[in-house]
Amino acid sequence: MIQPFSKPIYVTRPILPDLKSVVTHLRDVWDSQLLTNNGPKHQLLEAKLRDYLSVPALSLFNNGTSALLVALRALELSGEVITTPFTFAATAHSIAWNGLEPVFADIKNDDFTLDPRSIEKLITKKTTAILAVHVFGHPCDVHAIDEIARHYNLRVIYDAAHAFQTEIDGTPIGQFGDLTMFSFHATKLFHTAEGGALAMHEPEMKNKIDLIKNFGIKNEDEILFPGINGKLNEVQACVGLATLECVPKEREKRRRLWSAYAKALKNVPGVTFLEMPEKIQNSLQYLVIRINEKEFGISRNEVYSRFHDYNVFTRKYFFPLCSNFNCYRELPSAQKNKLPVANQVVNEVLSMPLYGSLTEEQVIKICSILVSFRAS
Ligand SMILES: *Cc1c(COP(=O)(O)O)cnc(C)c1O
């Protein structure tokens, strides 16, 4: 038997920049005594990320969920929003928190993003927007979604929580749709411990969004509408400024580990993983395999449990499907027979460890452990 890892191997570990570089930024904050409210570090990080992500305009948030809440609000939506059940809870919840109805469409079998044909079937008079997710850093079929949106006059919001630096044919991911949300939670590739952003096309939209995320305060004497507190603070911004410097190296390391997985799992029957088509640059945030129980011999759930014996902690993202949560399962669109692909995929996928401080030797051992499940 292969020896278990002496220390637990998790699915991800955050980038932790050299503490000195964080402290250098923090010292400026301490000197200025400005801890929040669009301070100098916030402004610097906002500008840097706008360039980094090559988007016309960007607004920082205290987390990705509040960014999504504000995105839906800013577009003044009503009625129904078509979304995916194969995502983190925040996606569907932000629709519900805006008093809108999430309508679940099915996903594609190959890349797990929303299936445009499924979207189109669900459009009614009440539909006002599509909230699609670039699942595991793989972009949605943005051109088909754009075409549907134009045809039916719908707004498009992308949840790009997994898609920091994802590109399609050289076009950065934040340039598609009306608004794109990024999450900077500690588990994401780039992070500010907690944080997020919205990318948009127009400075007017940024002004509107900046107002909504700051209580609707126009000036000391005027409050325009019921806004919210979505502000990223200066301490978070300092973490972000130091972390951003580490992203290129982190992605380089992850790319090597990705190749190691690809090589080790190439000819294992019953195990497939998301190919990276040539025209797509993936964010490298997650490495997800898919297990076909019939061919592999045991189920995804069994693989997940048996990895624990070896001190390896994979994740069953995105189990359970949002459409199977108690709060949404009664919706007409949430019925299992209407979402066959999502209900199958969610039982077959497994997120594998992928982070810069993992070694290629560890990846090879993780793959050997996986292969050993098949034989025994
Ligand atoms: C992480 C995540 C979010 C929420 O982001 P937070 O910054 O944690 O609020 C939303 N959608 C998806 C798909 C995510 O993975």
Side-chain angles (χ1 to χ4, degrees):
M1 181 180 145
I2 303 168
Q3 286 304 307
F5 286 99
S6 55
K7 286 191 192 135
I9 305 269
Y10 298 105
V11 77
T12 194
R13 301 271 82 189
I15 294 181
L16 288 174
D18 182 12
L19 199 51
K20 281 202 210 93
S21 65
V22 182
V23 171
T24 305
H25 286 294
L26 281 175
R27 195 157 288 128
D28 297 337
V29 172
W30 257 239
D31 289 344
S32 71
Q33 299 183 39
L34 294 171
L35 295 184
T36 186
N37 285 1
N38 196 26
K41 297 295 177 186
H42 181 286
Q43 290 175 31
L44 183 59
L45 182 63
E46 203 167 72
K48 282 198 175 204
L49 283 171
R50 191 187 60 218
D51 292 345
Y52 211 88
L53 296 168
S54 303
V55 290
L58 185 116
S59 177
L60 291 175
F61 278 83
N62 50 7
N63 60 61
T65 305
S66 63
L68 263 187
L69 288 173
V70 169
L72 291 155
R73 187 86 175 187
L75 296 176
E76 299 174 27
L77 306 176
S78 61
E80 300 170 357
V81 176
I82 296 176
T83 192
T84 172
F86 191 65
T87 182
F88 182 59
T91 317
H93 284 356
S94 10
I95 298 172
W97 267 64
N98 270 282
L100 305 163
E101 181 175 325
V103 173
F104 297 108
D106 209 358
I107 59 173
K108 292 194 288 175
N109 195 48
D110 56 352
D111 65 13
F112 318 143
T113 63
L114 266 179
D115 184 344
R117 288 170 306 177
S118 181
I119 295 176
E120 199 157 12
K121 283 188 206 142
L122 289 165
I123 294 171
T124 69
K125 281 202 183 73
K126 291 192 202 155
T127 312
T128 53
I130 300 164
L131 172 48
V133 180
H134 302 302
V135 180
F136 303 138
H138 192 91
C140 296
D141 190 343
V142 290
H143 303 299
I145 290 174
D146 188 50
E147 210 172 295
I148 293 171
R150 261 188 290 167
H151 190 260
Y152 294 94
N153 193 25
L154 306 175
R155 311 308 293 266
V156 179
I157 300 163
Y158 284 113
D159 177 334
H162 303 173
F164 193 84
Q165 282 200 294
T166 289
E167 290 180 5
I168 307 172
D169 258 337
T171 305
I173 201 69
Q175 296 187 7
F176 299 100
D178 291 292
L179 293 170
T180 295
M181 179 281 277
F182 293 94
S183 165
F184 307 146
H185 184 261
T187 54
K188 318 294 181 183
L189 176 67
F190 165 75
H191 73 89
T192 56
E194 291 262 13
L198 287 179
M200 64 288 283
H201 302 280
E202 311 287 345
E204 299 80 54
M205 183 53 96
K206 175 170 163 58
N207 291 341
K208 182 178 185 180
I209 281 167
D210 286 346
L211 272 170
I212 302 176
K213 82 170 177 199
N214 189 29
F215 311 98
I217 297 174
K218 187 181 175 195
N219 55 44
E220 274 185 62
D221 304 312
E222 276 179 284
I223 314 291
L224 300 179
F225 43 68
I228 197 171
N229 182 357
K231 290 173 283 132
L232 182 103
N233 66 50
E234 291 293 275
V235 178
Q236 288 170 293
C238 290
V239 173
L241 286 165
T243 303
L244 193 59
E245 304 288 324
C246 307
V247 168
K249 216 170 175 185
E250 173 74 16
R251 291 188 85 238
E252 201 37 58
K253 288 182 188 159
R254 288 182 181 213
R255 203 182 307 281
R256 279 207 293 276
L257 299 174
W258 189 295
S259 306
Y261 271 112
K263 208 169 135 198
L265 297 177
K266 198 159 85 189
N267 294 315
V268 182
V271 177
T272 47
F273 73 94
L274 206 65
E275 294 294 329
M276 272 201 268
E278 219 165 279
K279 63 176 184 125
I280 285 164
Q281 176 179 293
N282 190 290
S283 60
L284 305 172
Q285 185 163 301
Y286 296 103
L287 188 137
V288 176
I289 62 168
R290 186 168 179 180
I291 292 162
N292 179 319
E293 181 177 354
K294 253 210 208 113
E295 285 176 38
F296 188 67
I298 62 171
S299 68
R300 185 279 312 273
N301 283 351
E302 248 175 289
V303 171
Y304 166 84
S305 306
R306 286 171 72 171
F307 261 132
H308 288 179
D309 301 339
Y310 293 87
N311 234 348
V312 177
F313 298 89
T314 59
R315 297 297 297 266
K316 297 183 272 185
Y317 297 136
F318 288 102
F319 184 88
L321 288 181
C322 293
S323 51
N324 295 333
F325 294 176
N326 274 334
C327 49
Y328 302 126
R329 63 193 299 172
E330 304 297 333
L331 293 171
S333 67
Q335 302 313 300
K336 282 191 175 171
N337 58 354
K338 293 192 178 151
L339 303 165
V341 181
N343 277 284
Q344 184 184 353
V345 164
V346 79
N347 288 315
E348 298 183 349
V349 287
L350 196 62
S351 292
M352 303 296 286
L354 183 71
Y355 48 90
S357 54
L358 201 64
T359 66
E360 285 181 54
E361 290 70 38
Q362 286 172 316
V363 166
I364 290 165
K365 178 164 164 172
I366 291 165
C367 293
S368 303
I369 294 169
L370 177 66
V371 171
S372 76
F373 296 156
R374 188 167 186 268
S376 53

